[in-house]
Amino acid sequence: MANETTLQKTVTAQREALKELLLESMKEVSEACAKKIDNQQALEEILADEMTRAAYCKYLWVLDKHACQLTNNVKRDGLKEEQIGRDRAARPYMQRALKGEDYYLSDAYISRNRKRPSLTAIKAIYDADGQVNGYLGADFDLRELPNTADKYKNEKNWQQVKGDPAIRSGLFSQQRVESAMDAQIDDVLSVVKELILARGIFHAKLHFSSSRATLWRVDNPFDYQILNIDELSDPDICLAFRHQKYFEKATVNVNSIKKVFKQFKDLRFADETIYLRAASLNVVNGMVGLNFSCDGSHYMHYEEFLEKSMEFWFGG
């Protein structure tokens, strides 16, 4: 895949590992089914025997060469009946098999009945002359599959995301209205900086237009706290947070935090039409998030953010 992201690479690696993991058993079962392709009961017995060993499989089934079902769906505790004759030719996972691919693991899809992410593996069944005479299918629930991929690592590349077209279309008919945070922005930024450096905040999002901040603490990362402008403009609020050293897992240089916040302020006031509505800094992954009045969003590493001048954002 061209320009594949780290996340996409992780998905690809996981799929390839699963495909390899399932190949041997799919091949063995398809060969056993080839000898009994005209005997529904015998096919279901083969599949039932395999289900006693198939730790990850949800259903096994066999189709004829036209993708009509020859067996019921065989599950771990019996049969899902009334499946004989079911036409699967139009299902996305059958397209490559019907075009001649020997073995294929589908992209994930939402299952019809349980509405959960699932995968289907398809293996061709061959007759004595080497011609396709049917297909072995195996359904898997993503929750039940082993995790064979490396831990996904978040990317630090600059990403730009366009927002609501309705907002962009009316951009030049609006202008910034001074918020309560705008009027006290230096005090607010000083307080938030103190919370990061000495009070255990590792992620702070400043909502300039609505005069509030959303904060995440290192000692309670699964919750967040919302401070209003009265709290943000009062240095006493720092006393509500336990004193602790700058987070040991932080990657943002201490001296850069002030520079990042200054640039937030500059972007807020640089233009009355295109201005910063909200901005965030995460000192652990080093990422800055920006949301502008045009509803466009940007995500980039703080070092890259500090390299960009006002001319970059607004032109000469």
Side-chain angles (χ1 to χ4, degrees), residues 179-182 207-213 227-230 232:
S179 68
M181 185 180 287
D182 289 343
H207 304 264
F208 297 106
S209 295
S210 56
S211 300
R212 58 192 167 89
L227 299 186
N228 61 38
I229 186 59
D230 292 334
L232 287 169

Side-chain angles (χ1 to χ4, degrees), residues 12 32 46 49 64 85 88 92 95 106 125 140 150 188 192 196 203 205 213 217-218 241 244 248 268 270 292 297 315:
T12 299
I46 292 170
D49 181 63
D64 65 18
R88 293 186 183 246
Q95 300 308 301
S106 75
I125 298 172
F140 303 90
D150 292 334
V188 168
V192 176
I196 292 174
H203 183 103
K205 183 168 184 179
R217 305 189 342 242
V218 298
F241 295 80
Q244 48 193 308
E248 61 184 12
R268 175 66 179 171
F292 288 91
S297 297

Side-chain angles (χ1 to χ4, degrees), residues 302-314:
Y302 82 97
E303 291 178 336
E304 183 178 8
F305 173 64
L306 291 177
E307 291 172 356
K308 299 191 181 302
S309 65
M310 289 299 106
E311 286 74 18
F312 171 82
W313 297 104
F314 301 106

Side-chain angles (χ1 to χ4, degrees), residues 54-269:
Y56 314 120
C57 192
K58 179 182 174 184
Y59 296 124
L60 284 171
W61 33 268
V62 174
L63 311 178
D64 65 18
K65 62 183 179 181
H66 302 296
C68 286
Q69 198 152 331
L70 296 174
T71 68
N72 288 297
N73 290 0
V74 178
K75 51 185 182 176
R76 208 168 306 283
D77 58 353
L79 301 177
K80 182 179 180 182
E81 298 184 341
E82 299 183 3
Q83 302 296 304
I84 305 297
R86 177 181 174 186
D87 187 352
R88 293 186 183 246
R91 298 296 288 160
Y93 52 73
M94 286 303 304
Q95 300 308 301
R96 287 171 61 167
L98 291 170
K99 291 178 180 178
E101 192 155 338
D102 172 68
Y103 170 58
Y104 175 64
L105 181 64
S106 75
D107 293 334
Y109 59 91
I110 303 300
S111 62
R112 286 182 172 179
N113 295 327
R114 301 181 73 182
K115 304 300 180 184
R116 294 216 316 228
S118 304
L119 293 170
T120 294
I122 300 293
K123 176 69 179 72
I125 298 172
Y126 299 96
D127 62 20
D129 298 323
Q131 300 299 309
V132 174
N133 200 28
Y135 300 95
L136 169 67
D139 292 332
F140 303 90
D141 187 318
L142 258 61
R143 294 186 186 179
E144 299 169 1
L145 286 170
N147 184 11
T148 57
D150 292 334
K151 183 178 180 181
Y152 166 59
K153 295 180 180 179
N154 190 23
E155 294 185 64
K156 305 298 191 296
N157 299 328
W158 175 28
Q159 297 184 52
Q160 181 177 0
V161 183
K162 292 183 179 180
D164 187 343
I167 294 177
R168 296 201 305 274
S169 65
L171 174 63
F172 293 101
S173 63
Q174 66 178 21
Q175 65 178 23
R176 182 179 65 85
V177 175
E178 183 171 277
S179 68
M181 185 180 287
D182 289 343
Q184 304 179 74
I185 193 165
D186 291 328
D187 289 345
V188 168
L189 293 178
S190 294
V191 167
V192 176
K193 178 187 172 187
E194 177 67 13
L195 293 175
I196 292 174
L197 290 176
R199 300 288 171 170
I201 298 301
F202 72 93
H203 183 103
K205 183 168 184 179
L206 295 156
H207 304 264
F208 297 106
S209 295
S210 56
S211 300
R212 58 192 167 89
T214 313
L215 308 173
W216 282 259
R217 305 189 342 242
V218 298
D219 53 359
N220 190 13
F222 302 111
D223 198 359
Y224 61 83
Q225 197 157 348
I226 300 173
L227 299 186
N228 61 38
I229 186 59
D230 292 334
E231 295 161 336
L232 287 169
S233 58
D234 182 1
D236 272 348
I237 199 65
C238 295
L239 299 174
F241 295 80
R242 182 169 63 88
H243 185 276
Q244 48 193 308
K245 294 181 180 179
Y246 186 49
F247 193 31
E248 61 184 12
K249 293 184 179 180
T251 62
V252 175
N253 181 285
V254 168
N255 295 325
S256 295
I257 296 175
K258 182 178 180 180
K259 296 176 183 178
V260 168
F261 282 2
K262 180 183 182 302
Q263 194 134 314
F264 286 172
K265 177 182 175 181
D266 291 345
L267 289 171
R268 175 66 179 171
F269 293 107

Side-chain angles (χ1 to χ4, degrees), residues 281-304:
L281 173 66
N282 186 308
V283 298
V284 175
N285 64 17
M287 293 298 286
V288 166
L290 309 167
N291 178 255
F292 288 91
S293 55
C294 59
D295 204 35
S297 297
H298 299 259
Y299 303 91
M300 65 183 70
H301 194 264
Y302 82 97
E303 291 178 336
E304 183 178 8

